[in-house]
């Protein structure tokens, strides 16, 4: 996921919209104007808190940094529509060339690879939570390749914790695929007998097969080790999406079946 860079935000705000001699962003001198721009013109549920002056511009920068690429693209395109190159109040750098450059930036943001939404397990170890936060930060900075190893650590650690919760034994150096197999075969949350359970079991087995490749990717194509060649961004995103999907799956299984304290007590 490639978000706006600091340089692109500078081009948008300083060189395209422009600042006046007081450091106020042209057209956004008051917080109410920024609020109307975001809520009315961009159709975003964002309510700025700054009321006037340079603080409004600073909050606009913070808002831009926080958004997904899709939302960033919407903001950029709305700026371009509201501030055409021939508008009278802009800096001399607000011209057709910069308009085209920022339009291309918006196109890039709109075509950014979509990631499966991250999930924060309700109960997990500090190591898992830290790995998830680190991965989310790296992804937000457009560095999916460096997030592969962190996501793998989070997945491996969380499945270990789920096994520990139900006293499922495993070896210290157990691999991720084997750990997932132990979880599916022994954890109470996975003991379903529904009409389509056989099909779901086949999907889960395929996930186990994928985990063998994810292990190899983590060890041989990520920055977990000093490997000569890392995954490209698209392939790194595929690996992260696969691992996030598994985290979603095991966490939802735990939450929907036997995840509460009452359920655990009743099973004993």
């Amino acid at each position: 996921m490639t978000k706006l860079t600091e340089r692109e935000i500078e081009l948008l705000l300083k060189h395209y919209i422009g600042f006046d001699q007081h450091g106020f962003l042209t057209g956004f001198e008051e917080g109410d104007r920024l609020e109307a721009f975001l809520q009315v013109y961009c159709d975003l549920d964002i309510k700025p808190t700054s009321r006037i002056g340079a603080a409004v511009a600073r909050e606009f920068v913070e808002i831009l940094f926080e958004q997904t690429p899709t939302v960033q693209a919407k903001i950029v395109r709305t700026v371009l529509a509201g501030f055409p190159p021939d508008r009278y109040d802009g800096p001399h750098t607000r011209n057709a060339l910069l308009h085209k450059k920022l339009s291309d930036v918006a196109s890039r943001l709109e075509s950014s690879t979509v990631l499966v939404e991250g999930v924060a397990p309700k109960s997990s170890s500090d190591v898992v939570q830290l790995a998830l936060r680190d991965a989310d930060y790296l992804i937000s900075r457009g560095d999916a390749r460096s997030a592969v190893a962190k996501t793998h650590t989070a997945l491996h650690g969380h499945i270990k914790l789920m096994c520990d919760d139900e006293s499922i034994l495993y070896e210290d150096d157990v691999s991720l695929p084997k750990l997932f197999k132990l979880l599916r075969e022994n954890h109470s949350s996975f003991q379903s007998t529904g009409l389509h359970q056989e099909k779901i079991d086949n999907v889960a087995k395929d996930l186990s097969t994928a985990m063998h490749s994810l292990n190899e990717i983590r060890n041989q194509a990520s920055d977990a080790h000093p490997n000569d060649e890392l995954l490209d961004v698209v392939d790194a995103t595929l690996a992260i999406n696969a691992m996030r999907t598994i985290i979603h799956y095991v966490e939802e299984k735990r939450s929907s079946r036997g995840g509460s304290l009452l359920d655990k007590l009743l099973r004993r």
Side-chain angles (χ1 to χ4, degrees), residues 7 35 47 49 51 53 74 78 82 94 107 118 122 138 148 151 161 168 184 211 222 231 238 240 259 264 268:
R7 174 59 177 162
E35 182 175 331
K47 186 174 180 61
T49 58
R51 301 319 324 155
K74 181 184 291 188
T78 306
R94 187 199 293 165
S107 296
K122 297 181 179 64
L138 291 167
V148 170
T151 308
L161 186 71
I168 300 171
R184 290 191 298 105
M211 285 185 186
S222 81
L231 295 172
L238 171 63
I240 291 169
K264 290 181 179 179
R268 291 175 181 173

Side-chain angles (χ1 to χ4, degrees), residues 155-175:
L155 173 59
H156 202 165
H158 188 56
I159 293 180
K160 274 188 175 181
L161 186 71
M162 289 182 65
C163 288
D164 291 340
D165 284 346
E166 297 215 356
S167 301
I168 300 171
L169 300 179
Y170 54 83
E171 299 174 353
D172 290 340
D173 59 348
V174 62
S175 68

